[in-house]
Amino acid sequence: MDLKAFLLGLKKTTPFMLGLIPFGLAYGIMATQAKLSLGETLLMSLLVFAGSAQFMAVGMIKEGVGTGFIVLSTLLINLRHLLMGLSLAPFLNKLNTKWLYLLAFGLTDEVYGTTIGHYQQEGRDKGNPYFMLGSEVGLYFFWLISSLAGALLGTLIKDPLSWGLDFAMPATFLSIVIGQIKSWQILVVFLIAGILAIVGYLLIPGKWYIILATVAATILGTILELLTEKRSTAQ
């Protein structure tokens, strides 16, 4: 085990770990308010480990939406992981399947932002998996602890989003995304996703604008990534 790389990944992700605490607390409280038990709330964090998907799921559970529709919606909103995986693949293509499964499970927006920046700085041949693992373990631990704390708080706080999370969440994601705009392809995807989200919010009822922007941006980003790789291979 490369302890030095593991600890470096842990260290570089520390700001996101601290920023994850209010999100985890809010999730735990909202899950309790949706009538999930303490065990069910923690099990979702243990097995899913995806903040946006978990927030959407507990909201739908509270509204009595069917299981199949919840699974489909959370799958669609997490399609962006395909694009993140594609951009990380050149740095991790020498790993065996067990490593890839492990790293894929722990992949989040915060992990991606930290890891891709580090790998690009170090060079393609230095995609140390222990760096990414350290980033994932730290975030996973903080997510579980904050989810537990939120679930224990239960109904003591009626509206956790009144803490200002409606601003804090977009601000966190913007801090991740803006640092990754290093090519015209990424800029195009960023702008298209933003425009579609705004238009969808104005025209489409409910939260479908999120799924629309996510799916469209993922498809566009995948196409642009594949075209770029094809051109570089041809040269």
Side-chain angles (χ1 to χ4, degrees):
M1 177 176 177
D2 190 341
L3 185 60
K4 183 178 179 180
F6 181 89
L7 293 176
L8 182 60
L10 201 65
K11 178 181 177 182
K12 286 196 172 185
T13 318
T14 299
F16 290 125
M17 294 178 200
L18 300 177
L20 202 66
I21 294 174
F23 300 148
L25 289 172
Y27 158 72
I29 294 169
M30 292 176 67
T32 301
Q33 293 174 353
K35 307 302 182 184
L36 269 67
S37 67
L38 177 62
E40 290 168 337
T41 300
L42 287 178
L43 187 63
M44 188 182 291
S45 285
L46 278 166
L47 299 181
V48 179
F49 187 41
S52 57
Q54 289 178 232
F55 272 105
M56 175 173 280
V58 296
M60 288 182 167
I61 291 171
K62 189 174 183 179
E63 294 174 5
V65 177
T67 303
F69 195 72
I70 293 174
V71 171
L72 176 62
S73 299
T74 52
L75 172 65
L76 291 174
I77 202 172
N78 279 319
L79 281 177
R80 67 189 188 281
H81 285 72
L82 292 174
L83 187 58
M84 291 191 286
L86 274 173
S87 65
L88 284 170
F91 301 98
L92 304 172
N93 57 12
K94 296 180 181 179
L95 298 180
N96 60 42
T97 304
K98 291 181 180 179
W99 257 117
L100 294 176
Y101 283 155
L102 177 63
L103 296 178
F105 169 76
L107 180 62
T108 65
D109 299 286
E110 295 87 351
V111 168
Y112 173 77
T114 303
T115 302
I116 193 66
H118 177 75
Y119 285 174
Q120 288 173 343
Q121 184 179 8
E122 293 295 310
R124 177 165 295 191
D125 295 330
K126 297 182 180 180
N128 192 324
Y130 285 102
F131 177 91
M132 187 172 177
L133 183 63
S135 176
E136 292 179 345
V137 168
L139 284 167
Y140 190 62
F141 175 78
F142 270 76
W143 180 248
L144 293 179
I145 295 300
S146 56
S147 296
L148 173 62
L152 293 175
L153 286 173
T155 56
L156 295 178
I157 300 175
K158 293 184 178 180
D159 183 14
L161 297 182
S162 64
W163 303 347
L165 288 180
D166 54 342
F167 170 77
M169 287 181 178
T172 299
F173 285 113
L174 279 173
S175 69
I176 297 171
V177 171
I178 290 176
Q180 301 304 317
I181 302 178
K182 299 176 181 178
S183 68
W184 68 267
Q185 294 97 328
I186 298 176
L187 178 60
V188 168
V189 173
F190 179 78
L191 292 175
I192 293 297
I195 292 170
L196 286 176
I198 293 171
V199 173
Y201 174 77
L202 295 173
L203 300 178
I204 302 174
K207 303 295 184 182
W208 284 101
Y209 68 94
I210 301 175
I211 295 176
L212 171 66
T214 301
V215 173
T218 301
I219 293 172
L220 176 61
T222 302
I223 292 171
L224 292 176
E225 185 79 16
L226 291 172
L227 287 175
T228 301
E229 287 186 4
K230 187 176 180 180
R231 288 176 181 174
S232 62
T233 303
Q235 293 175 354

